[in-house]
Amino acid sequence: MKRFLVFASVVYACCLSAAPLWAWGSKGHDIIAYIAECHLNRRAQKTIEKIFDGHSMVYYASWMDNLRSSPQWETHYRVTETWHYANVDAGESYETMRKCPTGDIVSATNMVIEGLRSGILDDSTRCEYLKMLIHMVGDMHCPMHAGHLSDRGGNGFQVRWFGRPTNLHAVWDSKVLESAHSWSYSEWQKQLDRTTRKEFKRMSCGEPYEWFLETVGIAQKLYEDIEPGQNLAYDYLYCHTGMLEQQLLLAGYRLAGLLNELFG
């Protein structure tokens, strides 16, 4: 894995200003991982349990966010900080935006998939790549992880949430999710995951690049419908909860389909 995680301080510094806070919060990642886990085929399920030494996907759903606390953050993992997102400004596209040399959520996800498909990874790297994949598929469905570079993915876009100061990134990390329903991650799965096998197959198809472009479109629409300093309350929650639920469900289904293809 070291050949993929070479850290260059000068390169990293050019991307640091765009770095966001966490995506979805731990509950959002748990929901996505659990939905995916419920749709693994038997072979994929057994393989993943073996890779994780008996732990579940939910257990490691936020592992990539928690790397900042690792003693190896500076020497080994810091390059992954830019792997959670890809900023796309208004009037731009993913293709036309300046790319961060340390990678972004699209390039890093594809790299990890290629590594897992190769069959040549050692056990430790294979385990780390799987943890990253679970997390990054979730991140790429979080709207502000395709937010504008100009405001650092919504971190610099100040709003109010039920009268309290916050920013647009924090709204979509956890505030909409936590305000929509006071469910545990397993209750979220039970309430959202009600599609047929045919619908699951349709919703889980595609490639990470295509999934991310959908998120870019959602993010751009969110920016168009809001003003800096606006107070977001029940009307905003009512209008956007359905989209939130759809993104969580899509992320879980797509992750499951990808893992079944890789390990099934």
Side-chain angles (χ1 to χ4, degrees):
M1 186 175 184
K2 291 181 180 178
R3 64 193 178 107
F4 295 115
L5 298 181
V6 176
F7 174 73
S9 58
V10 174
V11 168
Y12 177 76
C14 79
C15 303
L16 184 60
S17 62
L21 301 174
W22 309 137
W24 289 132
S26 59
K27 181 178 284 188
H29 281 291
D30 289 351
I31 294 165
I32 292 166
Y34 190 56
I35 289 173
E37 196 170 62
C38 290
H39 288 272
L40 295 177
N41 61 43
R42 185 176 296 274
R43 185 172 178 182
Q45 183 179 18
K46 288 184 176 180
T47 301
I48 291 170
E49 286 179 355
K50 183 177 180 181
I51 293 171
F52 283 163
D53 195 25
H55 288 300
S56 71
M57 288 168 52
V58 175
Y59 186 87
Y60 288 117
S62 295
W63 177 85
M64 198 171 173
D65 278 344
N66 298 330
L67 284 177
R68 285 175 180 268
S69 302
S70 169
Q72 295 180 292
W73 172 252
E74 291 292 342
T75 59
H76 193 58
Y77 291 120
R78 193 170 186 181
V79 68
T80 67
E81 188 164 20
T82 64
W83 295 5
H84 295 259
Y85 62 94
N87 296 122
V88 180
D89 282 330
E92 300 284 349
S93 66
Y94 174 74
E95 290 77 12
T96 61
M97 285 295 294
R98 173 173 58 88
K99 298 296 185 291
C100 181
T102 53
D104 59 40
I105 194 165
V106 176
S107 62
T109 300
N110 287 332
M111 182 202 73
V112 165
I113 292 171
E114 181 180 350
L116 291 170
R117 279 184 178 145
S118 71
I120 63 172
L121 301 179
D122 59 68
D123 290 346
S124 176
T125 303
R126 192 185 190 202
C127 182
E128 290 195 348
Y129 272 28
L130 178 55
K131 294 173 187 176
M132 290 177 179
L133 183 61
I134 291 168
H135 192 87
M136 290 191 294
V137 170
D139 274 353
M140 69 169 49
H141 287 80
C142 187
M144 284 300 108
H145 279 241
H148 294 169
L149 177 63
S150 58
D151 61 23
R152 298 178 298 117
N155 282 300
F157 196 111
Q158 301 303 308
V159 294
R160 302 181 74 84
W161 183 252
F162 287 87
R164 297 192 175 190
T166 186
N167 61 68
L168 192 58
H169 191 100
V171 166
W172 283 100
D173 269 7
S174 58
K175 294 186 184 301
V176 174
L177 187 151
E178 295 291 354
S179 299
H181 306 290
S182 57
W183 298 332
S184 67
Y185 73 82
S186 59
E187 289 172 324
W188 274 89
Q189 180 274 330
K190 184 176 181 180
Q191 296 302 321
L192 297 186
D193 186 10
R194 294 169 175 264
T195 57
T196 65
R197 290 178 65 88
K198 184 177 180 180
E199 290 172 325
F200 165 76
K201 186 175 181 179
R202 175 183 61 80
M203 294 171 70
S204 62
C205 67
E207 299 292 334
Y209 171 74
E210 298 170 330
W211 306 337
F212 180 74
L213 292 188
E214 291 177 2
T215 306
V216 171
I218 291 171
Q220 298 295 356
K221 185 65 165 59
L222 290 176
Y223 278 111
E224 292 169 3
D225 293 343
I226 195 172
E227 296 291 336
Q230 185 173 336
N231 184 51
L232 310 178
Y234 290 110
D235 54 346
Y236 191 84
L237 190 63
Y238 178 82
C239 290
H240 294 92
T241 295
M243 180 269 284
L244 166 84
E245 294 173 348
Q246 181 76 353
Q247 287 300 101
L248 292 169
L249 190 62
L250 283 171
Y253 283 3
R254 288 164 171 174
L255 178 58
L258 185 54
L259 294 175
N260 285 335
E261 184 262 317
L262 288 170
F263 300 114

